[in-house]
Amino acid sequence: MILTLTPNPSIDRTVALDGELSRGQVHRVASVTSQGGGKGVNISRAAISAGIPSIAVVPAAKDDPFVLELLTAGIDCRPVQPAGDVRVNLTITEPDGTTTKLNSPGAAVLPLHLELMAQAVLVRASSADWTVLAGSLPAGAPAGFYAELVRRLREVGGRVAVDTSEAPLQALVDALPGSAPDLMKPNGEELASFTGGDADQLESDPAATAAAARQLIERGVGAVLATLGGNGAVLVTSEGAWHATPPPTTVVSTVGAGDSSLFGYLLGDIRGLAAPDRLALAVAYGSAAAGLPGTTIPQPDHVRADLVGVTPLGDTA
């Protein structure tokens, strides 16, 4: 079972244009889709589609259409008292796969709301294969919320994965090793932001990415899955480092591709796969998601891990 927490969920509305986006102009819309989302929610969707049970903790009213939609999708949604309405995020996609995102901040939370979310996770974590803390934090939440929750989760048992960015990610890194999760999933830019590397170099140089990720391993993190967009991903553990290249993909929308990659890794771990095979499944899931419209989560039959090339990387110490 995969337990997810999405502290700042969203209704993801995707607008597909039939031409290139041009500021200040009138555009014709090819299609509009809308569904409940957020990083943790996306991972729960992927889990259900792969036959893995998942519980999604989200701040929302029990009768909110957002919650009802997740329940209809087969996700065991556990809503906790929200600070306000679920925010709406807008994604604009162009025919060549270029994606523009407009994310709203969400309602400002109080300490009460944060503790309700934390307790909802803590009481279920010991029965989960993985607990995933994912996405941005709502307004009013301290940057160290994830770091503190990881520390508390380590006391109750179970493995923890974290996928976040900006101030919450930096706070998590600053709190290492006391708040070290079992898995972190930064992208190249995020990895560069707290290791002092060059983001463009990390995106294009798997060895440099592995060396940067190794810094996190040395500070107590169990594994680092660094996603590099079209250049695939790098996995670093205490046992070694590997780079995976994606299969040929016609990019339709990159929204949710990172979430799918993270799920692919977790699925591989649950299946007992070796590290290189977990990485291959992660990249296969991310590539499949990039080839689908909007925030569509790939079904297992979309995923071709056999087309992913995995190469061991040399000494990254």
Side-chain angles (χ1 to χ4, degrees):
M1 190 269 282
I2 295 176
L3 171 65
T4 67
L5 170 64
T6 308
N8 203 16
S10 60
I11 298 170
D12 289 339
R13 192 158 295 150
T14 301
V15 177
L17 302 181
D18 57 9
E20 182 179 344
L21 175 65
S22 179
R23 292 179 59 198
Q25 301 300 311
V26 175
H27 294 278
R28 298 210 177 268
V29 174
S31 65
V32 178
T33 58
S34 184
Q35 69 174 13
K39 284 183 170 295
V41 169
N42 291 341
I43 291 167
S44 287
R45 284 189 189 278
I48 295 302
S49 72
I52 303 296
S54 183
I55 295 175
V57 176
V58 295
K62 292 182 179 179
D63 59 351
D64 192 304
F66 178 91
V67 172
L68 300 180
E69 192 260 321
L70 296 187
L71 293 172
T72 300
I75 299 170
D76 186 357
C77 184
R78 302 299 177 97
V80 299
Q81 180 182 336
D85 293 335
V86 175
R87 64 189 177 130
V88 176
N89 287 345
L90 179 64
T91 299
I92 303 171
T93 63
E94 302 172 48
D96 67 354
T98 300
T99 301
T100 302
K101 295 192 68 176
L102 303 173
N103 291 347
S104 56
V109 297
L110 299 173
L112 167 66
H113 302 115
L114 296 172
E115 184 58 24
L116 288 173
M117 284 188 275
Q119 288 297 330
V121 170
L122 289 166
V123 298
R124 298 176 174 90
S126 62
S127 61
D129 290 276
W130 282 93
T131 297
V132 182
L133 313 180
S136 64
L137 295 178
F145 173 72
Y146 280 144
E148 175 62 17
L149 184 51
V150 170
R151 185 191 63 77
R152 295 170 71 180
L153 283 165
R154 290 179 63 173
E155 295 176 355
V156 302
R159 292 175 294 171
V160 185
V162 181
D163 182 10
T164 189
S165 60
E166 300 179 348
L169 176 60
Q170 185 62 58
L172 179 66
V173 173
D174 290 343
L176 298 176
S179 294
D182 298 277
L183 175 66
M184 291 179 64
K185 196 211 72 63
N187 59 32
E189 182 178 356
E190 292 161 351
L191 191 58
S193 71
F194 55 78
T195 61
D198 178 82
D200 291 336
Q201 181 188 18
L202 296 189
E203 290 281 353
S204 61
D205 185 350
T209 300
R214 177 65 62 190
Q215 297 180 39
L216 297 175
I217 302 299
E218 292 171 348
R219 298 179 63 185
V221 177
V224 177
L225 175 65
T227 52
L228 305 175
N231 291 322
V234 167
L235 173 65
V236 180
T237 72
S238 59
E239 286 77 38
W242 301 266
H243 173 233
T245 53
T249 304
T250 300
V251 176
V252 176
S253 172
T254 58
V255 180
D259 307 332
S260 292
S261 293
L262 176 53
F263 170 71
Y265 181 90
L266 300 179
L267 178 61
D269 178 82
I270 290 172
R271 289 177 173 173
L273 301 184
D277 297 322
R278 296 197 299 268
L279 175 60
L281 193 55
V283 170
Y285 257 94
S287 298
L292 297 172
T295 56
T296 306
I297 300 299
Q299 300 294 314
D301 58 1
H302 294 147
V303 179
R304 292 296 304 275
D306 58 308
L307 299 180
V308 176
V310 179
T311 305
L313 297 173
D315 185 11
T316 60

PDB file of all heavy atoms in Angstrom, residues 259-298:
ATOM      1  N   ASP A 259       5.767  12.871 -11.303  1.00  0.00           N
ATOM      2  CA  ASP A 259       4.989  12.073 -10.354  1.00  0.00           C
ATOM      3  C   ASP A 259       4.928  10.618 -10.809  1.00  0.00           C
ATOM      4  O   ASP A 259       5.051   9.687 -10.004  1.00  0.00           O
ATOM      5  CB  ASP A 259       3.573  12.632 -10.222  1.00  0.00           C
ATOM      6  CG  ASP A 259       3.555  14.105  -9.883  1.00  0.00           C
ATOM      7  OD1 ASP A 259       4.511  14.580  -9.249  1.00  0.00           O
ATOM      8  OD2 ASP A 259       2.590  14.791 -10.269  1.00  0.00           O
ATOM      9  N   SER A 260       4.741  10.430 -12.111  1.00  0.00           N
ATOM     10  CA  SER A 260       4.695   9.067 -12.644  1.00  0.00           C
ATOM     11  C   SER A 260       6.043   8.373 -12.490  1.00  0.00           C
ATOM     12  O   SER A 260       6.109   7.179 -12.192  1.00  0.00           O
ATOM     13  CB  SER A 260       4.272   9.094 -14.120  1.00  0.00           C
ATOM     14  OG  SER A 260       2.924   9.503 -14.241  1.00  0.00           O
ATOM     15  N   SER A 261       7.130   9.124 -12.687  1.00  0.00           N
ATOM     16  CA  SER A 261       8.463   8.547 -12.494  1.00  0.00           C
ATOM     17  C   SER A 261       8.647   8.067 -11.061  1.00  0.00           C
ATOM     18  O   SER A 261       9.160   6.961 -10.823  1.00  0.00           O
ATOM     19  CB  SER A 261       9.551   9.570 -12.838  1.00  0.00           C
ATOM     20  OG  SER A 261       9.548   9.871 -14.215  1.00  0.00           O
ATOM     21  N   LEU A 262       8.240   8.891 -10.120  1.00  0.00           N
ATOM     22  CA  LEU A 262       8.368   8.504  -8.721  1.00  0.00           C
ATOM     23  C   LEU A 262       7.550   7.259  -8.436  1.00  0.00           C
ATOM     24  O   LEU A 262       8.029   6.325  -7.774  1.00  0.00           O
ATOM     25  CB  LEU A 262       7.928   9.660  -7.816  1.00  0.00           C
ATOM     26  CG  LEU A 262       7.904   9.376  -6.308  1.00  0.00           C
ATOM     27  CD1 LEU A 262       9.229   8.829  -5.820  1.00  0.00           C
ATOM     28  CD2 LEU A 262       7.522  10.644  -5.542  1.00  0.00           C
ATOM     29  N   PHE A 263       6.329   7.212  -8.959  1.00  0.00           N
ATOM     30  CA  PHE A 263       5.527   6.007  -8.734  1.00  0.00           C
ATOM     31  C   PHE A 263       6.187   4.790  -9.350  1.00  0.00           C
ATOM     32  O   PHE A 263       6.196   3.700  -8.758  1.00  0.00           O
ATOM     33  CB  PHE A 263       4.113   6.148  -9.299  1.00  0.00           C
ATOM     34  CG  PHE A 263       3.388   4.839  -9.274  1.00  0.00           C
ATOM     35  CD1 PHE A 263       2.967   4.289  -8.070  1.00  0.00           C
ATOM     36  CD2 PHE A 263       3.206   4.098 -10.439  1.00  0.00           C
ATOM     37  CE1 PHE A 263       2.357   3.044  -8.024  1.00  0.00           C
ATOM     38  CE2 PHE A 263       2.600   2.854 -10.402  1.00  0.00           C
ATOM     39  CZ  PHE A 263       2.167   2.327  -9.189  1.00  0.00           C
ATOM     40  N   GLY A 264       6.743   4.933 -10.558  1.00  0.00           N
ATOM     41  CA  GLY A 264       7.399   3.796 -11.193  1.00  0.00           C
ATOM     42  C   GLY A 264       8.502   3.227 -10.324  1.00  0.00           C
ATOM     43  O   GLY A 264       8.666   2.002 -10.216  1.00  0.00           O
ATOM     44  N   TYR A 265       9.266   4.112  -9.686  1.00  0.00           N
ATOM     45  CA  TYR A 265      10.320   3.643  -8.782  1.00  0.00           C
ATOM     46  C   TYR A 265       9.716   2.892  -7.595  1.00  0.00           C
ATOM     47  O   TYR A 265      10.191   1.813  -7.221  1.00  0.00           O
ATOM     48  CB  TYR A 265      11.151   4.822  -8.288  1.00  0.00           C
ATOM     49  CG  TYR A 265      12.269   4.396  -7.363  1.00  0.00           C
ATOM     50  CD1 TYR A 265      13.520   4.069  -7.864  1.00  0.00           C
ATOM     51  CD2 TYR A 265      12.062   4.288  -5.986  1.00  0.00           C
ATOM     52  CE1 TYR A 265      14.546   3.649  -7.021  1.00  0.00           C
ATOM     53  CE2 TYR A 265      13.072   3.860  -5.141  1.00  0.00           C
ATOM     54  CZ  TYR A 265      14.308   3.553  -5.664  1.00  0.00           C
ATOM     55  OH  TYR A 265      15.311   3.127  -4.824  1.00  0.00           O
ATOM     56  N   LEU A 266       8.682   3.456  -6.986  1.00  0.00           N
ATOM     57  CA  LEU A 266       8.053   2.810  -5.827  1.00  0.00           C
ATOM     58  C   LEU A 266       7.460   1.457  -6.213  1.00  0.00           C
ATOM     59  O   LEU A 266       7.575   0.483  -5.462  1.00  0.00           O
ATOM     60  CB  LEU A 266       6.957   3.712  -5.253  1.00  0.00           C
ATOM     61  CG  LEU A 266       7.393   5.095  -4.767  1.00  0.00           C
ATOM     62  CD1 LEU A 266       6.184   5.872  -4.255  1.00  0.00           C
ATOM     63  CD2 LEU A 266       8.460   4.991  -3.700  1.00  0.00           C
ATOM     64  N   LEU A 267       6.849   1.400  -7.396  1.00  0.00           N
ATOM     65  CA  LEU A 267       6.275   0.141  -7.860  1.00  0.00           C
ATOM     66  C   LEU A 267       7.371  -0.911  -8.030  1.00  0.00           C
ATOM     67  O   LEU A 267       7.207  -2.072  -7.634  1.00  0.00           O
ATOM     68  CB  LEU A 267       5.545   0.358  -9.185  1.00  0.00           C
ATOM     69  CG  LEU A 267       4.921  -0.879  -9.832  1.00  0.00           C
ATOM     70  CD1 LEU A 267       3.867  -1.497  -8.927  1.00  0.00           C
ATOM     71  CD2 LEU A 267       4.329  -0.519 -11.192  1.00  0.00           C
ATOM     72  N   GLY A 268       8.497  -0.508  -8.606  1.00  0.00           N
ATOM     73  CA  GLY A 268       9.606  -1.437  -8.760  1.00  0.00           C
ATOM     74  C   GLY A 268      10.117  -1.939  -7.427  1.00  0.00           C
ATOM     75  O   GLY A 268      10.446  -3.121  -7.275  1.00  0.00           O
ATOM     76  N   ASP A 269      10.158  -1.046  -6.454  1.00  0.00           N
ATOM     77  CA  ASP A 269      10.606  -1.453  -5.119  1.00  0.00           C
ATOM     78  C   ASP A 269       9.621  -2.438  -4.497  1.00  0.00           C
ATOM     79  O   ASP A 269      10.029  -3.453  -3.913  1.00  0.00           O
ATOM     80  CB  ASP A 269      10.758  -0.217  -4.225  1.00  0.00           C
ATOM     81  CG  ASP A 269      11.176  -0.584  -2.817  1.00  0.00           C
ATOM     82  OD1 ASP A 269      12.377  -0.796  -2.590  1.00  0.00           O
ATOM     83  OD2 ASP A 269      10.286  -0.674  -1.942  1.00  0.00           O
ATOM     84  N   ILE A 270       8.331  -2.149  -4.611  1.00  0.00           N
ATOM     85  CA  ILE A 270       7.315  -3.050  -4.055  1.00  0.00           C
ATOM     86  C   ILE A 270       7.398  -4.423  -4.711  1.00  0.00           C
ATOM     87  O   ILE A 270       7.171  -5.456  -4.070  1.00  0.00           O
ATOM     88  CB  ILE A 270       5.914  -2.424  -4.222  1.00  0.00           C
ATOM     89  CG1 ILE A 270       5.768  -1.207  -3.297  1.00  0.00           C
ATOM     90  CG2 ILE A 270       4.811  -3.439  -3.928  1.00  0.00           C
ATOM     91  CD1 ILE A 270       4.508  -0.401  -3.523  1.00  0.00           C
ATOM     92  N   ARG A 271       7.757  -4.439  -5.978  1.00  0.00           N
ATOM     93  CA  ARG A 271       7.881  -5.714  -6.703  1.00  0.00           C
ATOM     94  C   ARG A 271       9.193  -6.430  -6.404  1.00  0.00           C
ATOM     95  O   ARG A 271       9.411  -7.523  -6.896  1.00  0.00           O
ATOM     96  CB  ARG A 271       7.775  -5.457  -8.206  1.00  0.00           C
ATOM     97  CG  ARG A 271       6.377  -5.085  -8.666  1.00  0.00           C
ATOM     98  CD  ARG A 271       6.362  -4.781 -10.163  1.00  0.00           C
ATOM     99  NE  ARG A 271       5.004  -4.572 -10.655  1.00  0.00           N
ATOM    100  CZ  ARG A 271       4.721  -4.162 -11.897  1.00  0.00           C
ATOM    101  NH1 ARG A 271       5.720  -3.938 -12.755  1.00  0.00           N
ATOM    102  NH2 ARG A 271       3.487  -3.989 -12.274  1.00  0.00           N
ATOM    103  N   GLY A 272      10.076  -5.788  -5.640  1.00  0.00           N
ATOM    104  CA  GLY A 272      11.334  -6.406  -5.291  1.00  0.00           C
ATOM    105  C   GLY A 272      12.396  -6.339  -6.377  1.00  0.00           C
ATOM    106  O   GLY A 272      13.334  -7.144  -6.377  1.00  0.00           O
ATOM    107  N   LEU A 273      12.273  -5.377  -7.300  1.00  0.00           N
ATOM    108  CA  LEU A 273      13.236  -5.262  -8.389  1.00  0.00           C
ATOM    109  C   LEU A 273      14.564  -4.708  -7.893  1.00  0.00           C
ATOM    110  O   LEU A 273      14.621  -3.957  -6.920  1.00  0.00           O
ATOM    111  CB  LEU A 273      12.692  -4.350  -9.490  1.00  0.00           C
ATOM    112  CG  LEU A 273      11.371  -4.768 -10.158  1.00  0.00           C
ATOM    113  CD1 LEU A 273      11.043  -3.801 -11.291  1.00  0.00           C
ATOM    114  CD2 LEU A 273      11.445  -6.200 -10.671  1.00  0.00           C
ATOM    115  N   ALA A 274      15.626  -5.048  -8.588  1.00  0.00           N
ATOM    116  CA  ALA A 274      16.948  -4.495  -8.296  1.00  0.00           C
ATOM    117  C   ALA A 274      16.978  -3.022  -8.677  1.00  0.00           C
ATOM    118  O   ALA A 274      16.147  -2.547  -9.465  1.00  0.00           O
ATOM    119  CB  ALA A 274      18.015  -5.266  -9.069  1.00  0.00           C
ATOM    120  N   ALA A 275      17.952  -2.285  -8.133  1.00  0.00           N
ATOM    121  CA  ALA A 275      18.019  -0.838  -8.329  1.00  0.00           C
ATOM    122  C   ALA A 275      17.975  -0.440  -9.805  1.00  0.00           C
ATOM    123  O   ALA A 275      17.208   0.469 -10.178  1.00  0.00           O
ATOM    124  CB  ALA A 275      19.260  -0.275  -7.642  1.00  0.00           C
ATOM    125  N   PRO A 276      18.760  -1.037 -10.703  1.00  0.00           N
ATOM    126  CA  PRO A 276      18.690  -0.628 -12.111  1.00  0.00           C
ATOM    127  C   PRO A 276      17.312  -0.835 -12.726  1.00  0.00           C
ATOM    128  O   PRO A 276      16.865  -0.039 -13.557  1.00  0.00           O
ATOM    129  CB  PRO A 276      19.743  -1.521 -12.788  1.00  0.00           C
ATOM    130  CG  PRO A 276      20.677  -1.922 -11.701  1.00  0.00           C
ATOM    131  CD  PRO A 276      19.811  -2.058 -10.479  1.00  0.00           C
ATOM    132  N   ASP A 277      16.625  -1.896 -12.311  1.00  0.00           N
ATOM    133  CA  ASP A 277      15.295  -2.168 -12.852  1.00  0.00           C
ATOM    134  C   ASP A 277      14.249  -1.218 -12.263  1.00  0.00           C
ATOM    135  O   ASP A 277      13.278  -0.857 -12.943  1.00  0.00           O
ATOM    136  CB  ASP A 277      14.911  -3.621 -12.586  1.00  0.00           C
ATOM    137  CG  ASP A 277      15.834  -4.600 -13.295  1.00  0.00           C
ATOM    138  OD1 ASP A 277      16.233  -4.311 -14.436  1.00  0.00           O
ATOM    139  OD2 ASP A 277      16.188  -5.623 -12.691  1.00  0.00           O
ATOM    140  N   ARG A 278      14.440  -0.811 -11.016  1.00  0.00           N
ATOM    141  CA  ARG A 278      13.558   0.206 -10.450  1.00  0.00           C
ATOM    142  C   ARG A 278      13.699   1.512 -11.227  1.00  0.00           C
ATOM    143  O   ARG A 278      12.714   2.199 -11.513  1.00  0.00           O
ATOM    144  CB  ARG A 278      13.883   0.439  -8.971  1.00  0.00           C
ATOM    145  CG  ARG A 278      13.653  -0.755  -8.077  1.00  0.00           C
ATOM    146  CD  ARG A 278      13.586  -0.382  -6.603  1.00  0.00           C
ATOM    147  NE  ARG A 278      14.793   0.227  -6.095  1.00  0.00           N
ATOM    148  CZ  ARG A 278      15.796  -0.439  -5.535  1.00  0.00           C
ATOM    149  NH1 ARG A 278      15.746  -1.765  -5.449  1.00  0.00           N
ATOM    150  NH2 ARG A 278      16.845   0.185  -5.057  1.00  0.00           N
ATOM    151  N   LEU A 279      14.941   1.856 -11.562  1.00  0.00           N
ATOM    152  CA  LEU A 279      15.189   3.079 -12.331  1.00  0.00           C
ATOM    153  C   LEU A 279      14.565   2.981 -13.718  1.00  0.00           C
ATOM    154  O   LEU A 279      13.949   3.945 -14.201  1.00  0.00           O
ATOM    155  CB  LEU A 279      16.698   3.318 -12.440  1.00  0.00           C
ATOM    156  CG  LEU A 279      17.135   4.499 -13.305  1.00  0.00           C
ATOM    157  CD1 LEU A 279      16.574   5.811 -12.783  1.00  0.00           C
ATOM    158  CD2 LEU A 279      18.661   4.560 -13.375  1.00  0.00           C
ATOM    159  N   ALA A 280      14.704   1.843 -14.363  1.00  0.00           N
ATOM    160  CA  ALA A 280      14.115   1.663 -15.698  1.00  0.00           C
ATOM    161  C   ALA A 280      12.605   1.835 -15.661  1.00  0.00           C
ATOM    162  O   ALA A 280      12.010   2.477 -16.543  1.00  0.00           O
ATOM    163  CB  ALA A 280      14.486   0.279 -16.250  1.00  0.00           C
ATOM    164  N   LEU A 281      11.971   1.273 -14.638  1.00  0.00           N
ATOM    165  CA  LEU A 281      10.521   1.397 -14.529  1.00  0.00           C
ATOM    166  C   LEU A 281      10.121   2.841 -14.251  1.00  0.00           C
ATOM    167  O   LEU A 281       9.109   3.333 -14.775  1.00  0.00           O
ATOM    168  CB  LEU A 281      10.008   0.471 -13.425  1.00  0.00           C
ATOM    169  CG  LEU A 281       8.496   0.230 -13.372  1.00  0.00           C
ATOM    170  CD1 LEU A 281       7.974  -0.296 -14.706  1.00  0.00           C
ATOM    171  CD2 LEU A 281       8.145  -0.743 -12.246  1.00  0.00           C
ATOM    172  N   ALA A 282      10.923   3.558 -13.463  1.00  0.00           N
ATOM    173  CA  ALA A 282      10.649   4.965 -13.188  1.00  0.00           C
ATOM    174  C   ALA A 282      10.686   5.789 -14.467  1.00  0.00           C
ATOM    175  O   ALA A 282       9.780   6.593 -14.749  1.00  0.00           O
ATOM    176  CB  ALA A 282      11.664   5.509 -12.184  1.00  0.00           C
ATOM    177  N   VAL A 283      11.723   5.596 -15.274  1.00  0.00           N
ATOM    178  CA  VAL A 283      11.856   6.364 -16.514  1.00  0.00           C
ATOM    179  C   VAL A 283      10.775   5.962 -17.514  1.00  0.00           C
ATOM    180  O   VAL A 283      10.225   6.811 -18.240  1.00  0.00           O
ATOM    181  CB  VAL A 283      13.268   6.175 -17.099  1.00  0.00           C
ATOM    182  CG1 VAL A 283      13.359   6.754 -18.507  1.00  0.00           C
ATOM    183  CG2 VAL A 283      14.294   6.847 -16.194  1.00  0.00           C
ATOM    184  N   ALA A 284      10.430   4.705 -17.553  1.00  0.00           N
ATOM    185  CA  ALA A 284       9.375   4.251 -18.464  1.00  0.00           C
ATOM    186  C   ALA A 284       8.039   4.894 -18.107  1.00  0.00           C
ATOM    187  O   ALA A 284       7.287   5.320 -19.001  1.00  0.00           O
ATOM    188  CB  ALA A 284       9.262   2.727 -18.418  1.00  0.00           C
ATOM    189  N   TYR A 285       7.727   4.971 -16.818  1.00  0.00           N
ATOM    190  CA  TYR A 285       6.479   5.614 -16.391  1.00  0.00           C
ATOM    191  C   TYR A 285       6.491   7.106 -16.724  1.00  0.00           C
ATOM    192  O   TYR A 285       5.496   7.661 -17.222  1.00  0.00           O
ATOM    193  CB  TYR A 285       6.258   5.409 -14.895  1.00  0.00           C
ATOM    194  CG  TYR A 285       5.218   4.353 -14.589  1.00  0.00           C
ATOM    195  CD1 TYR A 285       5.581   3.043 -14.359  1.00  0.00           C
ATOM    196  CD2 TYR A 285       3.864   4.671 -14.518  1.00  0.00           C
ATOM    197  CE1 TYR A 285       4.634   2.058 -14.084  1.00  0.00           C
ATOM    198  CE2 TYR A 285       2.911   3.712 -14.245  1.00  0.00           C
ATOM    199  CZ  TYR A 285       3.292   2.408 -14.024  1.00  0.00           C
ATOM    200  OH  TYR A 285       2.348   1.446 -13.760  1.00  0.00           O
ATOM    201  N   GLY A 286       7.613   7.786 -16.456  1.00  0.00           N
ATOM    202  CA  GLY A 286       7.691   9.208 -16.747  1.00  0.00           C
ATOM    203  C   GLY A 286       7.559   9.492 -18.230  1.00  0.00           C
ATOM    204  O   GLY A 286       6.876  10.445 -18.640  1.00  0.00           O
ATOM    205  N   SER A 287       8.197   8.680 -19.064  1.00  0.00           N
ATOM    206  CA  SER A 287       8.113   8.860 -20.510  1.00  0.00           C
ATOM    207  C   SER A 287       6.695   8.618 -21.013  1.00  0.00           C
ATOM    208  O   SER A 287       6.196   9.341 -21.874  1.00  0.00           O
ATOM    209  CB  SER A 287       9.088   7.911 -21.211  1.00  0.00           C
ATOM    210  OG  SER A 287      10.422   8.194 -20.851  1.00  0.00           O
ATOM    211  N   ALA A 288       6.048   7.591 -20.473  1.00  0.00           N
ATOM    212  CA  ALA A 288       4.670   7.309 -20.880  1.00  0.00           C
ATOM    213  C   ALA A 288       3.747   8.466 -20.523  1.00  0.00           C
ATOM    214  O   ALA A 288       2.868   8.843 -21.308  1.00  0.00           O
ATOM    215  CB  ALA A 288       4.200   6.014 -20.226  1.00  0.00           C
ATOM    216  N   ALA A 289       3.963   9.061 -19.360  1.00  0.00           N
ATOM    217  CA  ALA A 289       3.132  10.200 -18.945  1.00  0.00           C
ATOM    218  C   ALA A 289       3.353  11.397 -19.854  1.00  0.00           C
ATOM    219  O   ALA A 289       2.401  12.122 -20.188  1.00  0.00           O
ATOM    220  CB  ALA A 289       3.450  10.569 -17.500  1.00  0.00           C
ATOM    221  N   ALA A 290       4.599  11.630 -20.273  1.00  0.00           N
ATOM    222  CA  ALA A 290       4.897  12.772 -21.133  1.00  0.00           C
ATOM    223  C   ALA A 290       4.232  12.647 -22.497  1.00  0.00           C
ATOM    224  O   ALA A 290       4.005  13.651 -23.179  1.00  0.00           O
ATOM    225  CB  ALA A 290       6.408  12.916 -21.300  1.00  0.00           C
ATOM    226  N   GLY A 291       3.913  11.438 -22.900  1.00  0.00           N
ATOM    227  CA  GLY A 291       3.263  11.221 -24.180  1.00  0.00           C
ATOM    228  C   GLY A 291       1.752  11.274 -24.126  1.00  0.00           C
ATOM    229  O   GLY A 291       1.086  11.031 -25.150  1.00  0.00           O
ATOM    230  N   LEU A 292       1.203  11.612 -22.960  1.00  0.00           N
ATOM    231  CA  LEU A 292      -0.251  11.664 -22.778  1.00  0.00           C
ATOM    232  C   LEU A 292      -0.703  13.095 -22.515  1.00  0.00           C
ATOM    233  O   LEU A 292       0.050  13.913 -21.994  1.00  0.00           O
ATOM    234  CB  LEU A 292      -0.657  10.761 -21.611  1.00  0.00           C
ATOM    235  CG  LEU A 292      -0.364   9.262 -21.803  1.00  0.00           C
ATOM    236  CD1 LEU A 292      -0.620   8.508 -20.499  1.00  0.00           C
ATOM    237  CD2 LEU A 292      -1.226   8.691 -22.929  1.00  0.00           C
ATOM    238  N   PRO A 293      -1.946  13.441 -22.831  1.00  0.00           N
ATOM    239  CA  PRO A 293      -2.418  14.816 -22.654  1.00  0.00           C
ATOM    240  C   PRO A 293      -2.675  15.165 -21.196  1.00  0.00           C
ATOM    241  O   PRO A 293      -3.013  14.300 -20.375  1.00  0.00           O
ATOM    242  CB  PRO A 293      -3.713  14.844 -23.463  1.00  0.00           C
ATOM    243  CG  PRO A 293      -4.197  13.430 -23.444  1.00  0.00           C
ATOM    244  CD  PRO A 293      -2.962  12.578 -23.472  1.00  0.00           C
ATOM    245  N   GLY A 294      -2.515  16.458 -20.886  1.00  0.00           N
ATOM    246  CA  GLY A 294      -2.849  16.969 -19.560  1.00  0.00           C
ATOM    247  C   GLY A 294      -2.105  16.266 -18.460  1.00  0.00           C
ATOM    248  O   GLY A 294      -0.901  16.016 -18.555  1.00  0.00           O
ATOM    249  N   THR A 295      -2.830  15.951 -17.396  1.00  0.00           N
ATOM    250  CA  THR A 295      -2.232  15.248 -16.259  1.00  0.00           C
ATOM    251  C   THR A 295      -2.591  13.761 -16.274  1.00  0.00           C
ATOM    252  O   THR A 295      -2.609  13.112 -15.238  1.00  0.00           O
ATOM    253  CB  THR A 295      -2.709  15.875 -14.934  1.00  0.00           C
ATOM    254  OG1 THR A 295      -4.151  15.857 -14.903  1.00  0.00           O
ATOM    255  CG2 THR A 295      -2.222  17.300 -14.797  1.00  0.00           C
ATOM    256  N   THR A 296      -2.865  13.232 -17.464  1.00  0.00           N
ATOM    257  CA  THR A 296      -3.245  11.820 -17.591  1.00  0.00           C
ATOM    258  C   THR A 296      -2.143  10.920 -17.043  1.00  0.00           C
ATOM    259  O   THR A 296      -0.972  11.065 -17.383  1.00  0.00           O
ATOM    260  CB  THR A 296      -3.510  11.457 -19.060  1.00  0.00           C
ATOM    261  OG1 THR A 296      -4.479  12.357 -19.601  1.00  0.00           O
ATOM    262  CG2 THR A 296      -4.024  10.030 -19.180  1.00  0.00           C
ATOM    263  N   ILE A 297      -2.536   9.999 -16.177  1.00  0.00           N
ATOM    264  CA  ILE A 297      -1.601   9.042 -15.601  1.00  0.00           C
ATOM    265  C   ILE A 297      -1.548   7.801 -16.480  1.00  0.00           C
ATOM    266  O   ILE A 297      -2.590   7.256 -16.853  1.00  0.00           O
ATOM    267  CB  ILE A 297      -2.035   8.666 -14.167  1.00  0.00           C
ATOM    268  CG1 ILE A 297      -2.074   9.911 -13.275  1.00  0.00           C
ATOM    269  CG2 ILE A 297      -1.099   7.619 -13.585  1.00  0.00           C
ATOM    270  CD1 ILE A 297      -0.757  10.624 -13.122  1.00  0.00           C
ATOM    271  N   PRO A 298      -0.362   7.328 -16.844  1.00  0.00           N
ATOM    272  CA  PRO A 298      -0.287   6.164 -17.735  1.00  0.00           C
ATOM    273  C   PRO A 298      -0.820   4.895 -17.102  1.00  0.00           C
ATOM    274  O   PRO A 298      -0.636   4.651 -15.908  1.00  0.00           O
ATOM    275  CB  PRO A 298       1.210   6.046 -18.041  1.00  0.00           C
ATOM    276  CG  PRO A 298       1.901   6.751 -16.926  1.00  0.00           C
ATOM    277  CD  PRO A 298       0.970   7.844 -16.494  1.00  0.00           C
TER     278      PRO A 298
END
